[in-house]
Amino acid sequence: MTTSPSKGAPSRATPNAEEILLVTRARAGDRAAFGELVVRHQDVVWGLAWRLTRGRRALAEDLAQEAFVRALAGIANFRGDAAFGTWMHRIVLNLHINRNSTLAARHERGQLLARPDGETDTQPLLAHHPIPPCSTVLVSESRASSP
């Protein structure tokens, strides 16, 4: 691993031989190797998720967890053109962008999420997670604004 000239901290941009070996093993289906990659990168992934969600802990936790789930599902297709950390960064960023795009599209269609207390919830949700029917329901904006 190289050192960042500005801070003297390890740079995630250039993987070392050990990380390349872990990625190779993970690509071959070694879950323990993938687990080690998670341990090595979880703080950076969490920090990015925290910043993207503006400090909303539950959203950051969901975003970070989903990023690792996506990485596990796609590790066999990871080409290694970039460092694993760079790939993870892109996964987190893409998930965040997709989640916010889904919220914007719902808002344009006049659909908002209603919370059990009757207030409209505009917090973005991961589009691929089902919404539990007992806690939230999809309603039209006109119904949400009616008395």
Side-chain angles (χ1 to χ4, degrees):
M1 202 174 286
T2 61
T3 303
S4 168
S6 62
K7 297 182 182 175
S11 169
R12 301 269 182 208
T14 308
N16 62 21
E18 187 178 352
E19 185 162 293
I20 292 170
L21 179 61
L22 285 171
V23 169
T24 302
R25 288 176 39 211
R27 288 182 65 214
D30 184 342
R31 294 273 177 124
F34 186 81
E36 179 60 29
L37 289 167
V38 170
V39 168
R40 289 177 178 216
H41 295 274
Q42 66 187 356
D43 290 342
V44 174
V45 167
W46 164 253
L48 176 59
W50 178 265
R51 287 188 307 276
L52 289 172
T53 60
R54 297 186 179 121
R56 291 176 283 195
R57 184 179 186 91
L59 291 176
E61 287 172 351
D62 287 347
L63 185 58
Q65 181 176 8
E66 183 60 25
F68 282 116
V69 168
R70 294 279 178 102
L72 178 60
I75 191 71
N77 300 319
F78 177 62
R79 296 185 313 259
D81 296 340
F84 182 80
T86 304
W87 187 56
M88 285 303 307
H89 182 97
R90 195 69 234 179
I91 291 172
V92 174
L93 193 56
N94 287 345
L95 283 169
H96 177 71
I97 290 167
N98 290 344
R99 179 179 58 202
N100 286 338
S101 295
T102 300
L103 179 65
R106 284 182 181 164
H107 188 70
E108 281 182 18
R109 287 191 313 260
Q111 297 173 325
L112 298 175
L113 295 174
R115 298 188 318 228
D117 60 8
E119 293 295 318
T120 301
D121 190 0
T122 58
Q123 294 293 330
L125 296 173
L126 293 173
H128 56 277
H129 285 315
I131 300 168
C134 61
S135 61
T136 58
V137 293
L138 196 59
V139 295
S140 70
E141 189 172 347
S142 61
R143 181 173 171 212
S145 63
S146 64

